Amino acid sequence: MMTGEQQVIPDEDEGIDDLSTVASSTVSIRSSIMQYPVEHGRQYHAYKDGVYTRPNDDAELDRLDLMHAMMYILYDGKLHLAPIHNSHRVLDVGAGSGIWCIDFADIYASAEILGVDLSANLPTFVPPNVRFEVDDLEDDWTFAYPFDYIHSRYMAGSIKDWPRLMQQCFENIRPGGWVEFQDFDIDYYSQDGSLSKTHAMRRWLDIAYGAEENTQRSLRPGPKIEGWVRDAGFTNVQVVKNVLPLGTWPKDPKLKMIGRYNWIQLYEGLQAMSLRLFTRFLGWAPEDVEMLLLEVRKDLRDPKIHAMFDHYTVWGQRPAAAQ
Ligand SMILES: C[S@@+](CC[C@H](N)C(=O)[O-])C[C@H]1O[C@@H](n2cnc3c(N)ncnc32)[C@H](O)[C@@H]1O
């Protein structure tokens, strides 16, 4: 695929044959990309060390799986909103725990799904039509074949150059193929004034935004995705915006359930989202991060705070006539 080291799992002779030609550069399994560094008790990716600020340990993978379950509820069991039929070659951008690839592969047995991530987070057993590679998706893509569908979810805080990512998607989708981005605007607010600027939840966010100036990886790509997708040349662009509550305060049973999942992922994931970000990029001591997180968790436990944030799903098609 791109420059740099790669790991492809399962073995090349298992499962998909033609995806083995998707990678144009040599597939090399280097132990260095599996030697995950541990910082302040959390484990991180090794390939392109430091590019991504959240851990890749079991606790974080559990959180990603929980968010997958939350999205499953939000979209009534649909893994995508783009009108894809018989997609053969599928790319998942930043595959995380691999759970989306695996679920997609189970439903679309004739599809070949390639998940790419900085870490090899895959479980032991994956369907034969799923394949993973370790690589940096911000490097130049050199896939040998175009994809029918490219999926990207929850890359907020991961991507430095979104327009370039979109352009690479466009160039690597066959004419008539689809792209889909599902992502967040990580900006907590309330509609009833119950969350104010002085709450630790808001202070924590403002500090995270400050760190973001150093990482240059936005926590708020959601509202900009439609424009980027259009600018890249995709047509038939559609957008769905959802509000995701934090907590069980909504009356609507579906939103209540989403709020429950969302609350747990944030409550359990605060450390993952802050520790490296604040220590490496703002110079905080880990103890100071933990002190702030105690206050944020206190806010999260306060039933009077009705917080929420926005989620965007955007899909578009490469024009059939495009070369
Ligand atoms: C928040 S997780 C989302 C995982 C998955 N898309 C999901 O929805 O569950 C972001 C993932 O992107 C990966 N990632 C971040 N930057 C990347 C990059 N430049 N190239 C490839 N993967 C990257 C991280 O390792 C992490 O697994």
Side-chain angles (χ1 to χ4, degrees):
M1 181 186 148
M2 304 156 228
T3 55
E5 302 149 284
Q6 297 187 358
Q7 186 188 37
V8 175
I9 296 172
D11 292 339
E12 283 172 88
D13 55 353
E14 279 181 43
I16 308 158
D17 12 298
D18 50 351
L19 267 184
S20 62
T21 54
V22 165
S24 64
S25 55
T26 313
V27 174
S28 64
I29 298 181
R30 297 265 297 268
S31 61
S32 61
I33 61 169
M34 299 289 282
Q35 283 171 1
Y36 297 133
V38 174
E39 273 175 36
H40 311 303
R42 300 298 301 255
Q43 175 190 282
Y44 295 87
H45 71 98
Y47 181 59
K48 297 277 187 95
D49 180 23
V51 162
Y52 181 59
T53 60
R54 289 175 219 140
N56 65 2
D57 47 28
D58 286 349
E60 175 65 355
L61 297 183
D62 286 349
R63 185 179 77 90
L64 294 179
D65 287 353
L66 192 72
M67 295 192 82
H68 176 76
M70 181 179 81
M71 298 311 298
Y72 197 82
I73 298 168
L74 178 69
Y75 287 139
D76 302 316
K78 292 196 266 304
L79 291 173
H80 56 85
L81 298 190
I84 52 169
H85 309 286
N86 305 319
S87 285
H88 187 52
R89 293 196 177 91
V90 174
L91 172 67
D92 188 25
V93 167
S97 70
I99 193 166
W100 182 90
C101 298
I102 291 166
D103 281 1
F104 190 94
D106 282 340
I107 293 171
Y108 297 97
S110 63
E112 298 163 350
I113 298 99
L114 175 65
V116 177
D117 201 287
L118 291 168
S119 299
N121 297 327
L122 58 156
T124 310
F125 298 105
V126 297
N129 52 336
V130 173
R131 199 173 165 88
F132 289 85
E133 290 181 0
V134 170
D135 220 319
D136 182 352
L137 285 155
E138 297 221 83
D139 283 347
D140 289 339
W141 294 11
T142 57
F143 294 107
Y145 292 104
F147 296 96
D148 300 305
Y149 173 59
I150 298 182
H151 171 266
S152 165
R153 186 178 67 183
Y154 189 12
M155 295 302 280
S158 293
I159 299 298
K160 206 180 223 177
D161 191 343
W162 280 92
R164 180 162 179 254
L165 177 73
M166 307 268 176
Q167 199 56 49
Q168 299 220 71
C169 288
F170 187 87
E171 288 161 9
N172 285 272
I173 288 179
R174 67 158 173 80
W178 291 86
V179 73
E180 178 164 350
F181 291 89
Q182 300 196 359
D183 233 298
F184 300 101
D185 181 1
I186 303 182
D187 178 33
Y188 308 140
Y189 64 93
S190 63
Q191 288 172 341
D192 58 4
S194 58
L195 179 66
S196 75
K197 273 187 182 169
T198 53
H199 280 110
M201 273 178 78
R202 280 295 329 175
R203 281 191 282 122
W204 172 76
L205 255 190
D206 289 337
I207 296 162
Y209 294 157
E212 182 191 292
E213 280 169 26
N214 296 331
T215 64
Q216 297 178 321
R217 290 171 168 82
S218 173
L219 295 168
R220 308 192 54 190
K224 295 185 184 153
I225 289 176
E226 179 186 358
W228 288 327
V229 167
R230 290 187 189 279
D231 289 349
F234 291 101
T235 55
N236 297 324
V237 176
Q238 305 271 344
V239 184
V240 170
K241 179 182 172 188
N242 284 285
V243 170
L244 302 178
L246 275 165
T248 55
W249 54 266
K251 287 203 170 58
D252 175 80
K254 181 172 164 179
L255 283 177
K256 193 184 273 296
M257 186 61 80
I258 289 170
R260 186 186 303 279
Y261 279 68
N262 205 16
W263 186 92
I264 296 171
Q265 73 79 18
L266 183 59
Y267 197 88
E268 300 289 336
L270 275 172
Q271 191 196 52
M273 294 169 74
S274 327
L275 198 51
R276 177 179 263 192
L277 191 64
F278 289 16
T279 53
R280 268 213 193 185
F281 291 91
L282 291 175
W284 282 41
E287 307 76 50
D288 293 335
V289 180
E290 295 301 340
M291 289 299 286
L292 174 63
L293 297 188
L294 283 178
E295 290 184 62
V296 180
R297 288 194 193 97
K298 199 171 155 214
D299 280 353
L300 277 169
R301 288 195 305 270
D302 183 346
K304 293 192 293 302
I305 298 178
H306 301 154
M308 62 192 88
F309 58 100
D310 297 336
H311 180 266
Y312 293 77
T313 293
V314 181
W315 62 101
Q317 188 174 29
R318 179 171 171 164
Q323 295 302 307

